mmCIF file with all atom_site columns, all heavy atoms in Angstrom:
data_model
loop_
_atom_site.group_PDB
_atom_site.id
_atom_site.type_symbol
_atom_site.label_atom_id
_atom_site.label_alt_id
_atom_site.label_comp_id
_atom_site.label_asym_id
_atom_site.label_entity_id
_atom_site.label_seq_id
_atom_site.pdbx_PDB_ins_code
_atom_site.Cartn_x
_atom_site.Cartn_y
_atom_site.Cartn_z
_atom_site.occupancy
_atom_site.B_iso_or_equiv
_atom_site.pdbx_formal_charge
_atom_site.auth_seq_id
_atom_site.auth_comp_id
_atom_site.auth_asym_id
_atom_site.auth_atom_id
_atom_site.pdbx_PDB_model_num
ATOM   1   N N   . ILE A 1 90  ? -10.817 -4.839  60.761 1.00 98.00 ? 1317 ILE A N   1
ATOM   2   C CA  . ILE A 1 90  ? -12.298 -4.928  60.701 1.00 98.00 ? 1317 ILE A CA  1
ATOM   3   C C   . ILE A 1 90  ? -12.903 -4.558  62.123 1.00 98.00 ? 1317 ILE A C   1
ATOM   4   O O   . ILE A 1 90  ? -13.994 -3.980  62.120 1.00 98.00 ? 1317 ILE A O   1
ATOM   5   C CB  . ILE A 1 90  ? -12.729 -6.319  60.287 1.00 98.00 ? 1317 ILE A CB  1
ATOM   6   C CG1 . ILE A 1 90  ? -14.052 -6.357  59.720 1.00 98.00 ? 1317 ILE A CG1 1
ATOM   7   C CG2 . ILE A 1 90  ? -12.584 -7.350  61.376 1.00 98.00 ? 1317 ILE A CG2 1
ATOM   8   C CD1 . ILE A 1 90  ? -14.152 -5.912  58.242 1.00 98.00 ? 1317 ILE A CD1 1
ATOM   9   N N   . ARG A 1 91  ? -12.249 -4.905  63.127 1.00 98.00 ? 1318 ARG A N   1
ATOM   10  C CA  . ARG A 1 91  ? -12.671 -4.423  64.494 1.00 98.00 ? 1318 ARG A CA  1
ATOM   11  C C   . ARG A 1 91  ? -11.488 -3.973  65.306 1.00 98.00 ? 1318 ARG A C   1
ATOM   12  O O   . ARG A 1 91  ? -10.348 -4.381  65.045 1.00 98.00 ? 1318 ARG A O   1
ATOM   13  C CB  . ARG A 1 91  ? -13.335 -5.656  65.225 1.00 98.00 ? 1318 ARG A CB  1
ATOM   14  C CG  . ARG A 1 91  ? -14.754 -6.007  64.739 1.00 98.00 ? 1318 ARG A CG  1
ATOM   15  C CD  . ARG A 1 91  ? -15.244 -7.182  65.391 1.00 98.00 ? 1318 ARG A CD  1
ATOM   16  N NE  . ARG A 1 91  ? -14.772 -8.467  64.868 1.00 98.00 ? 1318 ARG A NE  1
ATOM   17  C CZ  . ARG A 1 91  ? -15.166 -9.075  63.827 1.00 98.00 ? 1318 ARG A CZ  1
ATOM   18  N NH1 . ARG A 1 91  ? -16.133 -8.677  63.088 1.00 98.00 ? 1318 ARG A NH1 1
ATOM   19  N NH2 . ARG A 1 91  ? -14.541 -10.255 63.463 1.00 98.00 ? 1318 ARG A NH2 1
ATOM   20  N N   . TYR A 1 228 ? -20.682 0.515   58.472 1.00 98.00 ? 1455 TYR A N   1
ATOM   21  C CA  . TYR A 1 228 ? -19.820 0.179   59.559 1.00 98.00 ? 1455 TYR A CA  1
ATOM   22  C C   . TYR A 1 228 ? -18.486 -0.301  59.146 1.00 98.00 ? 1455 TYR A C   1
ATOM   23  O O   . TYR A 1 228 ? -17.530 -0.540  59.996 1.00 98.00 ? 1455 TYR A O   1
ATOM   24  C CB  . TYR A 1 228 ? -20.472 -1.054  60.353 1.00 98.00 ? 1455 TYR A CB  1
ATOM   25  C CG  . TYR A 1 228 ? -20.883 -2.131  59.433 1.00 98.00 ? 1455 TYR A CG  1
ATOM   26  C CD1 . TYR A 1 228 ? -19.938 -3.111  58.966 1.00 98.00 ? 1455 TYR A CD1 1
ATOM   27  C CD2 . TYR A 1 228 ? -22.181 -2.312  59.000 1.00 98.00 ? 1455 TYR A CD2 1
ATOM   28  C CE1 . TYR A 1 228 ? -20.290 -4.066  58.154 1.00 98.00 ? 1455 TYR A CE1 1
ATOM   29  C CE2 . TYR A 1 228 ? -22.514 -3.319  58.171 1.00 98.00 ? 1455 TYR A CE2 1
ATOM   30  C CZ  . TYR A 1 228 ? -21.591 -4.188  57.703 1.00 98.00 ? 1455 TYR A CZ  1
ATOM   31  O OH  . TYR A 1 228 ? -21.897 -5.282  56.850 1.00 98.00 ? 1455 TYR A OH  1
ATOM   32  N N   . CYS A 1 229 ? -18.296 -0.505  57.876 1.00 98.00 ? 1456 CYS A N   1
ATOM   33  C CA  . CYS A 1 229 ? -17.122 -1.237  57.303 1.00 98.00 ? 1456 CYS A CA  1
ATOM   34  C C   . CYS A 1 229 ? -15.939 -0.470  56.902 1.00 98.00 ? 1456 CYS A C   1
ATOM   35  O O   . CYS A 1 229 ? -16.034 0.367   56.070 1.00 98.00 ? 1456 CYS A O   1
ATOM   36  C CB  . CYS A 1 229 ? -17.585 -2.204  56.319 1.00 98.00 ? 1456 CYS A CB  1
ATOM   37  S SG  . CYS A 1 229 ? -16.350 -3.362  55.776 1.00 98.00 ? 1456 CYS A SG  1
ATOM   38  N N   . GLN A 1 266 ? -13.949 -9.777  48.371 1.00 95.00 ? 1493 GLN A N   1
ATOM   39  C CA  . GLN A 1 266 ? -14.829 -9.212  49.385 1.00 95.00 ? 1493 GLN A CA  1
ATOM   40  C C   . GLN A 1 266 ? -16.313 -9.422  49.060 1.00 95.00 ? 1493 GLN A C   1
ATOM   41  O O   . GLN A 1 266 ? -17.164 -9.521  49.867 1.00 95.00 ? 1493 GLN A O   1
ATOM   42  C CB  . GLN A 1 266 ? -14.557 -7.679  49.707 1.00 95.00 ? 1493 GLN A CB  1
ATOM   43  C CG  . GLN A 1 266 ? -13.226 -7.430  50.377 1.00 95.00 ? 1493 GLN A CG  1
ATOM   44  C CD  . GLN A 1 266 ? -13.145 -8.252  51.667 1.00 95.00 ? 1493 GLN A CD  1
ATOM   45  O OE1 . GLN A 1 266 ? -14.130 -8.611  52.303 1.00 95.00 ? 1493 GLN A OE1 1
ATOM   46  N NE2 . GLN A 1 266 ? -11.997 -8.678  52.080 1.00 95.00 ? 1493 GLN A NE2 1
ATOM   47  N N   . THR A 1 328 ? -16.468 -13.952 49.613 1.00 95.00 ? 1555 THR A N   1
ATOM   48  C CA  . THR A 1 328 ? -17.829 -13.888 50.258 1.00 95.00 ? 1555 THR A CA  1
ATOM   49  C C   . THR A 1 328 ? -18.887 -13.341 49.307 1.00 95.00 ? 1555 THR A C   1
ATOM   50  O O   . THR A 1 328 ? -18.525 -12.555 48.423 1.00 95.00 ? 1555 THR A O   1
ATOM   51  C CB  . THR A 1 328 ? -17.739 -12.975 51.416 1.00 95.00 ? 1555 THR A CB  1
ATOM   52  O OG1 . THR A 1 328 ? -16.726 -13.276 52.316 1.00 95.00 ? 1555 THR A OG1 1
ATOM   53  C CG2 . THR A 1 328 ? -19.060 -12.913 52.211 1.00 95.00 ? 1555 THR A CG2 1
ATOM   54  N N   . SER A 1 329 ? -20.096 -13.823 49.490 1.00 95.00 ? 1556 SER A N   1
ATOM   55  C CA  . SER A 1 329 ? -21.085 -13.406 48.716 1.00 95.00 ? 1556 SER A CA  1
ATOM   56  C C   . SER A 1 329 ? -22.006 -12.344 49.422 1.00 95.00 ? 1556 SER A C   1
ATOM   57  O O   . SER A 1 329 ? -22.246 -12.502 50.600 1.00 95.00 ? 1556 SER A O   1
ATOM   58  C CB  . SER A 1 329 ? -22.134 -14.615 48.422 1.00 95.00 ? 1556 SER A CB  1
ATOM   59  O OG  . SER A 1 329 ? -21.457 -15.508 47.530 1.00 95.00 ? 1556 SER A OG  1
ATOM   60  N N   . PRO A 1 355 ? -23.500 -13.493 54.367 1.00 98.00 ? 1582 PRO A N   1
ATOM   61  C CA  . PRO A 1 355 ? -23.657 -12.606 55.518 1.00 98.00 ? 1582 PRO A CA  1
ATOM   62  C C   . PRO A 1 355 ? -24.969 -11.856 55.518 1.00 98.00 ? 1582 PRO A C   1
ATOM   63  O O   . PRO A 1 355 ? -25.347 -11.157 54.479 1.00 98.00 ? 1582 PRO A O   1
ATOM   64  C CB  . PRO A 1 355 ? -22.490 -11.614 55.401 1.00 98.00 ? 1582 PRO A CB  1
ATOM   65  C CG  . PRO A 1 355 ? -21.450 -12.391 54.626 1.00 98.00 ? 1582 PRO A CG  1
ATOM   66  C CD  . PRO A 1 355 ? -22.302 -13.180 53.617 1.00 98.00 ? 1582 PRO A CD  1
ATOM   67  N N   . GLN A 1 357 ? -25.945 -9.914  58.501 1.00 98.00 ? 1584 GLN A N   1
ATOM   68  C CA  . GLN A 1 357 ? -25.733 -8.808  59.426 1.00 98.00 ? 1584 GLN A CA  1
ATOM   69  C C   . GLN A 1 357 ? -26.775 -8.539  60.455 1.00 98.00 ? 1584 GLN A C   1
ATOM   70  O O   . GLN A 1 357 ? -26.514 -8.291  61.658 1.00 98.00 ? 1584 GLN A O   1
ATOM   71  C CB  . GLN A 1 357 ? -25.294 -7.538  58.747 1.00 98.00 ? 1584 GLN A CB  1
ATOM   72  C CG  . GLN A 1 357 ? -24.267 -7.598  57.591 1.00 98.00 ? 1584 GLN A CG  1
ATOM   73  C CD  . GLN A 1 357 ? -22.927 -8.191  58.024 1.00 98.00 ? 1584 GLN A CD  1
ATOM   74  O OE1 . GLN A 1 357 ? -22.701 -8.492  59.203 1.00 98.00 ? 1584 GLN A OE1 1
ATOM   75  N NE2 . GLN A 1 357 ? -22.087 -8.516  57.103 1.00 98.00 ? 1584 GLN A NE2 1
ATOM   76  N N   . ARG A 1 369 ? -26.992 -1.893  53.732 1.00 96.00 ? 1596 ARG A N   1
ATOM   77  C CA  . ARG A 1 369 ? -26.771 -3.219  53.216 1.00 96.00 ? 1596 ARG A CA  1
ATOM   78  C C   . ARG A 1 369 ? -27.584 -3.394  51.837 1.00 96.00 ? 1596 ARG A C   1
ATOM   79  O O   . ARG A 1 369 ? -27.284 -4.308  51.170 1.00 96.00 ? 1596 ARG A O   1
ATOM   80  C CB  . ARG A 1 369 ? -27.247 -4.316  54.150 1.00 96.00 ? 1596 ARG A CB  1
ATOM   81  C CG  . ARG A 1 369 ? -26.261 -4.466  55.305 1.00 96.00 ? 1596 ARG A CG  1
ATOM   82  C CD  . ARG A 1 369 ? -24.931 -5.010  54.858 1.00 96.00 ? 1596 ARG A CD  1
ATOM   83  N NE  . ARG A 1 369 ? -24.990 -6.461  54.499 1.00 96.00 ? 1596 ARG A NE  1
ATOM   84  C CZ  . ARG A 1 369 ? -23.912 -7.214  54.094 1.00 96.00 ? 1596 ARG A CZ  1
ATOM   85  N NH1 . ARG A 1 369 ? -22.750 -6.621  54.045 1.00 96.00 ? 1596 ARG A NH1 1
ATOM   86  N NH2 . ARG A 1 369 ? -24.040 -8.442  53.857 1.00 96.00 ? 1596 ARG A NH2 1
ATOM   87  N N   . ASP A 1 395 ? -22.788 -13.984 58.738 1.00 98.00 ? 1622 ASP A N   1
ATOM   88  C CA  . ASP A 1 395 ? -22.151 -13.071 59.621 1.00 98.00 ? 1622 ASP A CA  1
ATOM   89  C C   . ASP A 1 395 ? -23.214 -12.190 60.203 1.00 98.00 ? 1622 ASP A C   1
ATOM   90  O O   . ASP A 1 395 ? -24.151 -11.793 59.454 1.00 98.00 ? 1622 ASP A O   1
ATOM   91  C CB  . ASP A 1 395 ? -21.231 -12.178 58.950 1.00 98.00 ? 1622 ASP A CB  1
ATOM   92  C CG  . ASP A 1 395 ? -19.941 -12.776 58.426 1.00 98.00 ? 1622 ASP A CG  1
ATOM   93  O OD1 . ASP A 1 395 ? -19.705 -14.050 58.715 1.00 98.00 ? 1622 ASP A OD1 1
ATOM   94  O OD2 . ASP A 1 395 ? -19.255 -12.215 57.602 1.00 98.00 ? 1622 ASP A OD2 1
ATOM   95  N N   . VAL A 1 396 ? -23.078 -11.891 61.472 1.00 98.00 ? 1623 VAL A N   1
ATOM   96  C CA  . VAL A 1 396 ? -24.043 -11.027 62.230 1.00 98.00 ? 1623 VAL A CA  1
ATOM   97  C C   . VAL A 1 396 ? -23.346 -10.001 63.022 1.00 98.00 ? 1623 VAL A C   1
ATOM   98  O O   . VAL A 1 396 ? -22.216 -10.253 63.639 1.00 98.00 ? 1623 VAL A O   1
ATOM   99  C CB  . VAL A 1 396 ? -25.014 -11.810 63.035 1.00 98.00 ? 1623 VAL A CB  1
ATOM   100 C CG1 . VAL A 1 396 ? -25.671 -11.087 64.163 1.00 98.00 ? 1623 VAL A CG1 1
ATOM   101 C CG2 . VAL A 1 396 ? -26.019 -12.652 62.282 1.00 98.00 ? 1623 VAL A CG2 1
ATOM   102 N N   . ILE A 1 397 ? -23.836 -8.732  63.052 1.00 98.00 ? 1624 ILE A N   1
ATOM   103 C CA  . ILE A 1 397 ? -23.261 -7.776  63.981 1.00 98.00 ? 1624 ILE A CA  1
ATOM   104 C C   . ILE A 1 397 ? -24.284 -7.463  65.026 1.00 98.00 ? 1624 ILE A C   1
ATOM   105 O O   . ILE A 1 397 ? -25.455 -7.199  64.674 1.00 98.00 ? 1624 ILE A O   1
ATOM   106 C CB  . ILE A 1 397 ? -22.920 -6.496  63.190 1.00 98.00 ? 1624 ILE A CB  1
ATOM   107 C CG1 . ILE A 1 397 ? -21.820 -6.746  62.188 1.00 98.00 ? 1624 ILE A CG1 1
ATOM   108 C CG2 . ILE A 1 397 ? -22.375 -5.411  64.199 1.00 98.00 ? 1624 ILE A CG2 1
ATOM   109 C CD1 . ILE A 1 397 ? -21.441 -5.563  61.347 1.00 98.00 ? 1624 ILE A CD1 1
ATOM   110 N N   . ALA A 1 426 ? -20.331 -10.802 65.846 1.00 98.00 ? 1653 ALA A N   1
ATOM   111 C CA  . ALA A 1 426 ? -19.405 -9.938  66.498 1.00 98.00 ? 1653 ALA A CA  1
ATOM   112 C C   . ALA A 1 426 ? -20.184 -8.728  67.027 1.00 98.00 ? 1653 ALA A C   1
ATOM   113 O O   . ALA A 1 426 ? -21.251 -8.305  66.449 1.00 98.00 ? 1653 ALA A O   1
ATOM   114 C CB  . ALA A 1 426 ? -18.269 -9.393  65.533 1.00 98.00 ? 1653 ALA A CB  1
ATOM   115 N N   . ALA A 1 427 ? -19.630 -8.102  68.077 1.00 98.00 ? 1654 ALA A N   1
ATOM   116 C CA  . ALA A 1 427 ? -20.176 -6.848  68.589 1.00 98.00 ? 1654 ALA A CA  1
ATOM   117 C C   . ALA A 1 427 ? -19.706 -5.754  67.705 1.00 98.00 ? 1654 ALA A C   1
ATOM   118 O O   . ALA A 1 427 ? -18.564 -5.770  67.270 1.00 98.00 ? 1654 ALA A O   1
ATOM   119 C CB  . ALA A 1 427 ? -19.797 -6.631  70.070 1.00 98.00 ? 1654 ALA A CB  1
ATOM   120 N N   . TYR A 1 428 ? -20.607 -4.799  67.437 1.00 98.00 ? 1655 TYR A N   1
ATOM   121 C CA  . TYR A 1 428 ? -20.197 -3.636  66.537 1.00 98.00 ? 1655 TYR A CA  1
ATOM   122 C C   . TYR A 1 428 ? -18.961 -3.002  67.203 1.00 98.00 ? 1655 TYR A C   1
ATOM   123 O O   . TYR A 1 428 ? -18.944 -2.646  68.384 1.00 98.00 ? 1655 TYR A O   1
ATOM   124 C CB  . TYR A 1 428 ? -21.280 -2.742  66.373 1.00 98.00 ? 1655 TYR A CB  1
ATOM   125 C CG  . TYR A 1 428 ? -20.908 -1.372  65.709 1.00 98.00 ? 1655 TYR A CG  1
ATOM   126 C CD1 . TYR A 1 428 ? -20.326 -1.382  64.504 1.00 98.00 ? 1655 TYR A CD1 1
ATOM   127 C CD2 . TYR A 1 428 ? -21.028 -0.111  66.352 1.00 98.00 ? 1655 TYR A CD2 1
ATOM   128 C CE1 . TYR A 1 428 ? -19.965 -0.217  63.882 1.00 98.00 ? 1655 TYR A CE1 1
ATOM   129 C CE2 . TYR A 1 428 ? -20.647 0.961   65.792 1.00 98.00 ? 1655 TYR A CE2 1
ATOM   130 C CZ  . TYR A 1 428 ? -20.042 0.990   64.459 1.00 98.00 ? 1655 TYR A CZ  1
ATOM   131 O OH  . TYR A 1 428 ? -19.595 2.144   63.973 1.00 98.00 ? 1655 TYR A OH  1
ATOM   132 N N   . SER A 1 429 ? -18.032 -2.606  66.314 1.00 98.00 ? 1656 SER A N   1
ATOM   133 C CA  . SER A 1 429 ? -16.834 -1.905  66.762 1.00 98.00 ? 1656 SER A CA  1
ATOM   134 C C   . SER A 1 429 ? -16.639 -0.708  65.827 1.00 98.00 ? 1656 SER A C   1
ATOM   135 O O   . SER A 1 429 ? -16.483 -0.914  64.614 1.00 98.00 ? 1656 SER A O   1
ATOM   136 C CB  . SER A 1 429 ? -15.675 -2.846  66.621 1.00 98.00 ? 1656 SER A CB  1
ATOM   137 O OG  . SER A 1 429 ? -14.413 -2.198  66.647 1.00 98.00 ? 1656 SER A OG  1
ATOM   138 N N   . ARG A 1 431 ? -15.281 2.028   63.528 1.00 98.00 ? 1658 ARG A N   1
ATOM   139 C CA  . ARG A 1 431 ? -14.146 2.191   62.801 1.00 98.00 ? 1658 ARG A CA  1
ATOM   140 C C   . ARG A 1 431 ? -13.919 3.652   62.271 1.00 98.00 ? 1658 ARG A C   1
ATOM   141 O O   . ARG A 1 431 ? -14.799 4.151   61.638 1.00 98.00 ? 1658 ARG A O   1
ATOM   142 C CB  . ARG A 1 431 ? -14.065 1.202   61.609 1.00 98.00 ? 1658 ARG A CB  1
ATOM   143 C CG  . ARG A 1 431 ? -14.425 -0.236  61.886 1.00 98.00 ? 1658 ARG A CG  1
ATOM   144 C CD  . ARG A 1 431 ? -13.288 -0.978  62.543 1.00 98.00 ? 1658 ARG A CD  1
ATOM   145 N NE  . ARG A 1 431 ? -12.726 -0.501  63.785 1.00 98.00 ? 1658 ARG A NE  1
ATOM   146 C CZ  . ARG A 1 431 ? -11.427 -0.427  64.133 1.00 98.00 ? 1658 ARG A CZ  1
ATOM   147 N NH1 . ARG A 1 431 ? -10.583 -0.793  63.264 1.00 98.00 ? 1658 ARG A NH1 1
ATOM   148 N NH2 . ARG A 1 431 ? -11.014 0.005   65.317 1.00 98.00 ? 1658 ARG A NH2 1
HETATM 149 N N1  . LIG B 2 .   ? -17.130 -8.697  52.515 1.00 60.58 ? 1466 LIG B N1  1
HETATM 150 C C1  . LIG B 2 .   ? -17.744 -9.516  53.483 1.00 60.58 ? 1466 LIG B C1  1
HETATM 151 C C2  . LIG B 2 .   ? -17.397 -9.268  54.882 1.00 60.58 ? 1466 LIG B C2  1
HETATM 152 C C3  . LIG B 2 .   ? -16.057 -8.826  55.262 1.00 60.58 ? 1466 LIG B C3  1
HETATM 153 S S1  . LIG B 2 .   ? -15.801 -8.446  56.838 1.00 60.58 ? 1466 LIG B S1  1
HETATM 154 C C4  . LIG B 2 .   ? -19.154 -9.369  53.304 1.00 60.58 ? 1466 LIG B C4  1
HETATM 155 O O1  . LIG B 2 .   ? -19.672 -8.264  53.081 1.00 60.58 ? 1466 LIG B O1  1
HETATM 156 O O2  . LIG B 2 .   ? -19.823 -10.294 53.728 1.00 60.58 ? 1466 LIG B O2  1
HETATM 157 C C5  . LIG B 2 .   ? -16.513 -9.756  57.743 1.00 60.58 ? 1466 LIG B C5  1
HETATM 158 C C6  . LIG B 2 .   ? -17.533 -9.501  58.681 1.00 60.58 ? 1466 LIG B C6  1
HETATM 159 O O3  . LIG B 2 .   ? -16.964 -8.604  59.728 1.00 60.58 ? 1466 LIG B O3  1
HETATM 160 C C7  . LIG B 2 .   ? -18.682 -8.783  58.210 1.00 60.58 ? 1466 LIG B C7  1
HETATM 161 O O4  . LIG B 2 .   ? -19.621 -9.576  57.560 1.00 60.58 ? 1466 LIG B O4  1
HETATM 162 C C8  . LIG B 2 .   ? -19.290 -8.151  59.474 1.00 60.58 ? 1466 LIG B C8  1
HETATM 163 O O5  . LIG B 2 .   ? -20.269 -9.088  60.007 1.00 60.58 ? 1466 LIG B O5  1
HETATM 164 C C9  . LIG B 2 .   ? -18.094 -7.920  60.297 1.00 60.58 ? 1466 LIG B C9  1
HETATM 165 N N2  . LIG B 2 .   ? -17.802 -6.525  60.455 1.00 60.58 ? 1466 LIG B N2  1
HETATM 166 C C10 . LIG B 2 .   ? -17.390 -5.691  59.554 1.00 60.58 ? 1466 LIG B C10 1
HETATM 167 N N3  . LIG B 2 .   ? -17.210 -4.460  60.128 1.00 60.58 ? 1466 LIG B N3  1
HETATM 168 C C11 . LIG B 2 .   ? -17.493 -4.548  61.412 1.00 60.58 ? 1466 LIG B C11 1
HETATM 169 C C12 . LIG B 2 .   ? -17.444 -3.681  62.497 1.00 60.58 ? 1466 LIG B C12 1
HETATM 170 N N4  . LIG B 2 .   ? -17.168 -2.364  62.317 1.00 60.58 ? 1466 LIG B N4  1
HETATM 171 N N5  . LIG B 2 .   ? -17.794 -4.096  63.786 1.00 60.58 ? 1466 LIG B N5  1
HETATM 172 C C13 . LIG B 2 .   ? -18.133 -5.385  63.890 1.00 60.58 ? 1466 LIG B C13 1
HETATM 173 N N6  . LIG B 2 .   ? -18.146 -6.365  62.905 1.00 60.58 ? 1466 LIG B N6  1
HETATM 174 C C14 . LIG B 2 .   ? -17.822 -5.933  61.706 1.00 60.58 ? 1466 LIG B C14 1
#
Side-chain angles (χ1 to χ4, degrees):
I1317 206 78
R1318 285 178 284 273
Y1455 51 79
C1456 187
Q1493 288 309 328
T1555 302
S1556 287
Q1584 313 300 358
R1596 288 291 285 182
D1622 291 348
V1623 160
I1624 299 177
Y1655 170 60
S1656 164
R1658 307 284 59 220

